[in-house]
Amino acid sequence: MTATHSTRMLILGSGPAGLSAAIYGARAGLAPIVVQGMQPGGQLTITTDVENYPGFRDVVQGPWLMEEMQAQAEHVGAQMMYDQIVSVDLTQRPFRLIGDGGTIYSGDTLVICTGAQAKWLGVEGEAHLGGKGVSACATCDGFFYRGKKVVVIGGGNTAVEEALYLTNHSHDVTLIHRRDSLRAEKILQDRLFAHPRIHVLWNKAVARFVGGGSPEGLVGVDLIDTVTGEASHMPTDGAFVAIGHQPATALFEGLLPMDEGYLLVEKGTSRTNIAGVFAAGDVTDKVYRQAVTAAGMGCMAALDAEKFLAEADFEAMAVAAE
């Protein structure tokens, strides 16, 4: 027999946005259900040192932080479901989602917090050295490279912005791009080329991230010239892959409006164009992509959903009284 779970607030995703929404929803008495998805805890579960989340004097570990956030959500009444959603029906309330095992989830409101994933190069050493010198977020990890040599891989706005940000910490920043011109906006390019701490390496592709030392960490990148095919090696302490992010929104294609795959919400709120459907965190944020901003947006989504339900309940009571 197919299992069905119903709730006043259904939350899809269990990163900082989803769990913050769950905490606020549970405290409002909405008994939220969180469907955790492919990566319970979100991107922080593959992050080691976290030094920029408020409330912790010392560095904390990403997986530990998410475990504590989940425990807090469960403590106040949220229910966690380990499932992957494969089908969504937003044509009527309650909204209906189906897991890959056939389980049905029904929600009077839906809060989408499915997040986004950094795009990676897929070359040797990248996964192994993740968190050991290879990163996809300069704002998150740049602080750990104070006074050290770093490289940024990419040629768009994100790569240029990451390189400029890293000059706050590093005196030696190299932007590695596989072509002979950048795709970034001209104003960003002008700032990049004028900065004395940034050097651009043209027509080079990263073939391998090289580890070494004890404990093992990144010591350099092997490069291939995209024009001549010549191989070279560049020593570096940190490498930041900045070739874009992919929001996890495939489920909602054709159902909700998007911009480059990111869900669109009404300015200053978490409301989508479907009443009762809200979005929060990296799935709707192409600018900041921080755990603390995702958590804040999760709070917003829960408060927006609570207000929506209160208004719907009032309208239903008024109709019943007529």
Side-chain angles (χ1 to χ4, degrees):
M1 183 176 178
T2 301
T4 300
H5 301 278
S6 299
T7 178
R8 303 218 72 194
M9 181 185 291
L10 182 60
I11 300 169
L12 189 53
S14 56
L19 293 178
S20 294
I23 291 167
Y24 275 80
R27 286 175 53 82
L30 300 178
I33 291 176
V34 180
V35 183
Q36 295 192 290
M38 285 286 289
Q39 190 176 34
Q43 294 184 74
L44 277 184
T45 59
I46 57 172
T47 301
T48 51
D49 293 345
V50 177
E51 200 170 36
N52 56 3
Y53 198 88
F56 301 97
R57 179 185 306 177
D58 298 320
V59 174
V60 298
Q61 299 299 298
W64 176 86
L65 180 60
M66 298 318 300
E67 287 173 5
E68 290 296 298
M69 201 176 289
Q70 177 176 327
Q72 182 181 5
E74 291 177 311
H75 177 73
V76 293
Q79 181 181 2
M80 303 292 151
M81 302 297 295
Y82 297 90
D83 205 346
Q84 175 70 18
I85 299 299
V86 297
S87 176
V88 177
D89 182 0
L90 304 181
T91 58
Q92 60 183 350
R93 292 182 57 237
F95 306 113
R96 180 183 168 99
L97 284 67
I98 301 177
D100 61 4
T103 301
I104 298 170
Y105 301 91
S106 175
D108 293 333
T109 57
L110 174 63
V111 179
I112 303 168
C113 305
T114 47
Q117 297 289 335
K119 295 179 181 177
W120 296 96
L121 299 172
V123 300
E124 183 182 346
E126 185 175 53
H128 176 67
L129 292 168
K132 303 173 185 177
V134 177
S135 172
C137 181
T139 311
C140 308
D141 300 328
F143 184 77
F144 299 113
Y145 297 91
R146 289 165 293 176
K148 297 182 179 180
K149 178 180 176 61
V150 297
V151 300
V152 178
I153 301 111
N157 285 351
T158 299
V160 174
E161 288 168 351
E162 298 267 275
L164 289 166
Y165 173 81
L166 285 166
T167 61
N168 294 318
H169 306 293
S170 171
H171 64 282
D172 189 346
V173 180
T174 299
L175 181 71
I176 300 173
H177 187 41
R178 62 183 301 113
R179 299 181 178 86
D180 61 2
S181 62
L182 301 176
R183 303 185 309 278
E185 297 171 0
K186 186 178 184 303
I187 189 170
L188 288 174
Q189 293 193 43
D190 290 344
R191 289 176 57 198
L192 180 90
F193 296 140
H195 205 293
R197 295 186 177 183
I198 301 176
H199 170 67
V200 181
L201 203 57
W202 302 107
N203 298 316
K204 295 291 189 294
V206 174
R208 183 168 73 106
F209 292 97
V210 182
S214 181
E216 185 181 15
L218 182 75
V219 296
V221 289
D222 287 345
L223 303 172
I224 294 291
D225 191 294
T226 57
V227 176
T228 66
E230 179 184 359
S232 60
H233 177 80
M234 172 178 262
T236 189
D237 300 300
F240 294 84
V241 180
I243 57 174
H245 285 73
Q246 182 63 47
T249 54
L251 271 174
F252 304 99
E253 289 182 4
L255 303 178
L256 293 168
M258 303 180 189
D259 177 20
E260 298 179 1
Y262 291 87
L263 294 179
L264 293 176
V265 294
E266 183 181 327
K267 187 175 181 179
T269 79
S270 64
R271 295 192 292 265
T272 70
N273 71 330
I274 296 180
V277 178
F278 307 89
D282 286 7
V283 74
T284 187
D285 174 21
K286 66 170 69 174
V287 178
Y288 302 105
R289 297 193 297 264
Q290 299 298 302
V292 66
T293 53
M297 285 187 276
C299 164
M300 291 169 57
L303 296 177
D304 286 343
E306 179 188 2
K307 181 180 178 182
F308 171 84
L309 289 170
E311 292 174 351
D313 290 346
F314 180 80
E315 291 173 4
M317 290 173 58
V319 170
E322 290 179 355

